[in-house]
C-alpha cells in the first residue's frame, strides 16, 4: 500500500483562507494599529473564506491527505455548508461586536484574532476525515472561546464564565480523546470511514465490552460540546457571563461545530444500533429539560441559552430513530442525517438573528438584561423589535418564521419515516411547550411599559456613552433576510445537507 499522502491544495483552500485571515489580523493590528482596519481585515477575510469555500465546494468532492482509500480531508457538500455558515457567522459576530469594541470593553486585535482562529477550527471541522483531525479542529474552534468569554475588561461575571467553560471543556476533551483511543485499541484505525467499515464487517468487534465503552465515552465527550442534557449545566452560566456577541458565537458557530462532530462520528464511524438508543435518550432529555427550565427564566440570555439546549434536542432527535430497525435502512438514515444537518443550519441563522435583536435593543457593551428590560421595546425601536420577534417566532416554529417551521416539519417527517412515531410525538409536545416562552418574550416587546428604570432609559444608547451603531442594525437586517430566504427556499438547504 502506498503510504505517501497526496496533497490537494485546492481542497485545502478554505483552511488556508481562514488561517490566513488570523495571520493578517495579527499583522494589521501590529503594523497599522487602527481598530477599524483590524476589524475590516477580519471581516473581509471571513467573507473571503466563505466565498472560497463555496467555489471549492461547487465542484466534485475533493480528498487529500490520503493513505490508500482513507483520507483525512474530505471537502464535499456538507463541508462546504459548514465552512460557509461558520465564516458568515464570524462576520455577523464581528458586526455585533463593533459597539463594544469601540467602547474599549475588549482589545480589538486580540478579539478579532481569536475569532478568526476559532473560525479556522470550524472550517477544518466540516472536512475532517479522521478522529484526530476532527478533535483537533473541534478544539481549535473551542480553545479561543475560553479567552473570548473572559476577555471583557473589569467583568467578574465574564471571568467566572470563562473558568466554568474551560473546566467543563477540558473534561469533555479528555473523554473524547479517551473514546478515540479506545476505538483505536479495538480497531487499529482512526479514519472515520475505515472505523465504520471495520465495525460493520466484523460483528465480533461490536460485541466487545471495550467497544461499548469506547462508543459511550466518545458520545459523552461530544454531548458536552453540544450542551446535551445531562451534560448541559455549563451553558446557561457561560452564555450569561460572556459578552453578548461571544454568547451569540457560542450559541451558533460553536454549537454547530459540536453537532457536526457528533454527526460525523455517528454517520460514518459508530454502529447505529449502539448509538441510536443513546441519542434517542439524549434528545428526549435535552429538548424536555431545556424547554421546561426556559419557562422559568427571567434573564434574556439565560432564556436563549436554555432555548438553545432545547433546540439541540430537536437536532439530535432524527438520529434517535437509529434505535429502531426501520430507522437504520439506507433511505431512513440518509433522511435522518440530512434533517439533523438542515435543522442545525436553520437554527444557527435564527439564533444569530435573535442575539442580534437583543444586542440591538440593549446598550452598547451591556449584558442581555432581563425580560422586563425589553418590555415595550417595540415602541422605541419598532423595526429592531419586529426583527427580533420574527427570530423568536421562527425558533418556535410558527409562521411567518417559515425557516423554523420547515425545520421542525423536516425532523418530524424524518422520525416518521424511520418508524419513531413516539419520538415525533415528543418533539411535537416540546414544540408546544416552547411556544409559551417564545411568545411571552415576543409579547413583552409590544407590552405597555411602566415607569422606565435605568435600563429602559438606556435602551437607545450605550452605558458608556457609545450608542449601538448601525453595524448591529445591518447584521440584524441581514440575518433576518437570510432567515426569510431560507424559509422560502428550504429545500435548497436540505439538498445541500444531504450531499
Amino acid at each position: 500500500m502506498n503510504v505517501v499522502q497526496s496533497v490537494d491544495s485546492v481542497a485545502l483552500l478554505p483552511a488556508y483562507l481562514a488561517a490566513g485571515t488570523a495571520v493578517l489580523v495579527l499583522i494589521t493590528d501590529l503594523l497599522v494599529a487602527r481598530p477599524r482596519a483590524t476589524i475590516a481585515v477580519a471581516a473581509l477575510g471571513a467573507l473571503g473564506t466563505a466565498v472560497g469555500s463555496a467555489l471549492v465546494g461547487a465542484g466534485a468532492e475533493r480528498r487529500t491527505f490520503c493513505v490508500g482509500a482513507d483520507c483525512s480531508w474530505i471537502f464535499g457538500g456538507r463541508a462546504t455548508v459548514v465552512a460557509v455558515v461558520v465564516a458568515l457567522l464570524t462576520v455577523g459576530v464581528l458586526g455585533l461586536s463593533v459597539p463594544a469594541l469601540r467602547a474599549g470593553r475588549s482589545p480589538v486585535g486580540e478579539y478579532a484574532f481569536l475569532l478568526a482562529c476559532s473560525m479556522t477550527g470550524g472550517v477544518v471541522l466540516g472536512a475532517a476525515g479522521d478522529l484526530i483531525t476532527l478533535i483537533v479542529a473541534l478544539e481549535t474552534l473551542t480553545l479561543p472561546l475560553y479567552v473570548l468569554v473572559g476577555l471583557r475588561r473589569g467583568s467578574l461575571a465574564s471571568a467566572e464564565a470563562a473558568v466554568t467553560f474551560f473546566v467543563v471543556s477540558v473534561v469533555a476533551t479528555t473523554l473524547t480523546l479517551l473514546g478515540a483511543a479506545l476505538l483505536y485499541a479495538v480497531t487499529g484505525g482512526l479514519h472515520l470511514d475505515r472505523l465504520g467499515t471495520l465495525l460493520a464487517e466484523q460483528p465480533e468487534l461490536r460485541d466487545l465490552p471495550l467497544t461499548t465503552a469506547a462508543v459511550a465515552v466518545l458520545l459523552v465527550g461530544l454531548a458536552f460540546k453540544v450542551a446535551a442534557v445531562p451534560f448541559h449545566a455549563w451553558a446557561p452560566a457561560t452564555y450569561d457571563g460572556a459578552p453578548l456577541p461571544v454568547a451569540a458565537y457560542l450559541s451558533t458557530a460553536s454549537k454547530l461545530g459540536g453537532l457536526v462532530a457528533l454527526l460525523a462520528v455517528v454517520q460514518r464511524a459508530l454502529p447505529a444500533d449502539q448509538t441510536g438508543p443513546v441519542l434517542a435518550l439524549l434528545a428526549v432529555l435535552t429538548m424536555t429539560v431545556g424547554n421546561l427550565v426556559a419557562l422559568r427564566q427571567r434573564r434574556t440570555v439565560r432564556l436563549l441559552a436554555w432555548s438553545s439546549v432545547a433546540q439541540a434536542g430537536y437536532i439530535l432527535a432524527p438520529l434517535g430513530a437509529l434505535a429502531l430497525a426501520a430507522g437504520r435502512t439506507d433511505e431512513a438514515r440518509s433522511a435522518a442525517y440530512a434533517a439533523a444537518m438542515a435543522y442545525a443550519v436553520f437554527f444557527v441563522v435564527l439564533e444569530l438573528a435573535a442575539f442580534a435583536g437583543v444586542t440591538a435593543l440593549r446598550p452598547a457593551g451591556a449584558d442581555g438584561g432581563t425580560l422586563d428590560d425589553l418590555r415595550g421595546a417595540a415602541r422605541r425601536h419598532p423595526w429592531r423589535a419586529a426583527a427580533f420577534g420574527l427570530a423568536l417566532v421562527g425558533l418556535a416554529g410558527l409562521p411567518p418564521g417559515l425557516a423554523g417551521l420547515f425545520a421542525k416539519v423536516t425532523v418530524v417527517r424524518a422520525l416518521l419515516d424511520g418508524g419513531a412515531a413516539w419520538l415525533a410525538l415528543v418533539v411535537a409536545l416540546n414544540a408546544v411547550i416552547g411556544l409559551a416562552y417564545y411568545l411571552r418574550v415576543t409579547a413583552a416587546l409590544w407590552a405597555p411599559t411602566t415607569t422606565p428604570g435605568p435600563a429602559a432609559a438606556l435602551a437607545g444608547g450605550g452605558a458608556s456613552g457609545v450608542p449601538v451603531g448601525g453595524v448591529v442594525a445591518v447584521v440584524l437586517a441581514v440575518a433576518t433576510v437570510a432567515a426569510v430566504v431560507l424559509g422560502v427556499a428550504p429545500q435548497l438547504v436540505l439538498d445541500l445537507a444531504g450531499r
Side-chain angles (χ1 to χ4, degrees):
M1 182 177 66
N2 182 15
V3 296
V4 178
Q5 294 183 333
S6 61
V7 177
D8 181 355
S9 292
V10 174
L12 292 168
L13 180 62
Y16 293 157
L17 290 171
T21 299
V23 174
L24 283 176
V25 166
L26 273 183
I27 295 174
T28 303
D29 185 55
L30 177 64
L31 299 181
V32 180
R34 292 181 181 272
R36 287 188 179 181
T38 302
I39 295 173
V41 167
L44 290 174
L47 286 173
T49 301
V51 173
S53 300
L55 291 176
V56 174
E61 180 182 271
R62 306 186 75 99
R63 294 171 173 251
T64 190
F65 293 124
C66 298
V67 177
D70 301 322
C71 298
S72 294
W73 182 273
I74 305 171
F75 202 87
R78 183 172 299 171
T80 303
V81 171
V82 174
V84 171
V85 170
V86 169
L88 293 179
L89 288 173
T90 303
V91 177
V93 170
L94 276 169
L96 297 182
S97 305
V98 167
L101 293 175
R102 285 178 179 171
R105 294 301 182 100
S106 302
V108 176
E110 290 85 340
Y111 188 97
F113 169 72
L114 290 168
L115 206 55
C117 288
S118 183
M119 176 184 70
T120 303
V123 170
V124 174
L125 182 60
D130 63 67
L131 283 175
I132 298 302
T133 304
L134 186 82
I135 294 172
V136 170
L138 188 57
E139 289 310 300
T140 304
L141 170 65
T142 306
L143 188 61
L145 299 180
Y146 306 153
V147 184
L148 284 172
V149 169
L151 197 60
R152 186 167 49 181
R153 294 188 176 107
S155 174
L156 180 60
S158 288
E160 292 175 346
V163 171
T164 301
F165 186 32
F166 173 74
V167 171
V168 171
S169 292
V170 166
V171 173
T173 302
T174 302
L175 292 173
T176 306
L177 286 170
L178 177 59
L182 292 177
L183 276 177
Y184 180 75
V186 171
T187 63
L190 285 172
H191 289 87
L192 299 176
D193 292 330
R194 173 169 287 275
L195 285 170
T197 301
L198 289 172
L199 293 174
E201 295 178 350
Q202 302 180 38
E204 66 276 8
L205 291 181
R206 288 204 310 271
D207 297 334
L208 292 175
L210 190 60
T211 304
T212 303
V215 171
V217 171
L218 185 57
L219 287 179
V220 167
L222 294 176
F224 270 107
K225 297 293 187 181
V226 300
V229 175
F231 315 107
H232 66 289
W234 62 273
T238 301
Y239 288 19
D240 199 25
L244 269 177
V246 177
Y249 195 82
L250 279 168
S251 188
T252 55
S254 178
K255 176 153 290 193
L256 177 64
L259 290 167
V260 167
L262 184 62
L263 184 61
V265 298
V266 168
Q267 180 178 3
R268 298 165 57 189
L270 302 183
D273 56 344
Q274 291 183 337
T275 59
V278 176
L279 293 170
L281 178 61
L282 285 177
V284 171
L285 289 175
T286 301
M287 70 178 82
T288 304
V289 172
N291 280 321
L292 291 177
V293 179
L295 289 171
R296 301 177 56 86
Q297 300 305 306
R298 302 302 306 172
R299 291 189 59 79
T300 307
V301 173
R302 281 187 176 267
L303 185 145
L304 290 176
W306 283 106
S307 158
S308 176
V309 170
Q311 296 288 344
Y314 299 138
I315 298 172
L316 294 176
L319 305 181
L322 301 177
L324 305 172
R328 292 196 291 271
T329 63
D330 291 341
E331 184 178 353
R333 289 180 66 171
S334 297
Y337 299 141
M341 188 65 205
Y343 194 108
V345 173
F346 290 129
F347 161 70
V348 297
V349 173
L350 290 167
E351 188 80 348
L352 179 66
F355 271 96
V358 176
T359 306
L361 295 172
R362 294 288 294 154
D367 60 17
T370 65
L371 298 183
D372 290 337
D373 295 331
L374 297 177
R375 190 176 182 86
R379 300 172 185 270
R380 299 184 294 271
H381 306 290
W383 292 110
R384 297 179 185 184
F388 181 34
L390 180 63
L392 293 172
V393 169
L395 289 171
L398 291 177
L402 296 179
L405 176 62
F406 179 83
K408 285 185 171 56
V409 170
T410 301
V411 167
V412 171
R413 185 177 63 186
L415 290 172
L416 293 176
D417 291 344
W422 67 273
L423 191 50
L425 179 61
V426 174
V427 170
L429 290 174
N430 272 279
V432 173
I433 297 173
L435 294 178
Y437 58 85
Y438 285 125
L439 294 181
R440 185 182 73 192
V441 179
T442 305
L445 297 173
W446 278 268
T449 57
T450 56
T451 303
L458 284 169
S464 300
V466 180
V468 175
V471 180
V472 174
V474 170
V475 173
L476 177 58
V478 171
T480 303
V481 171
V484 171
V485 170
L486 291 180
V488 174
Q491 192 61 39
L492 176 63
V493 177
L494 192 58
D495 291 343
L496 290 173
R499 285 176 60 186

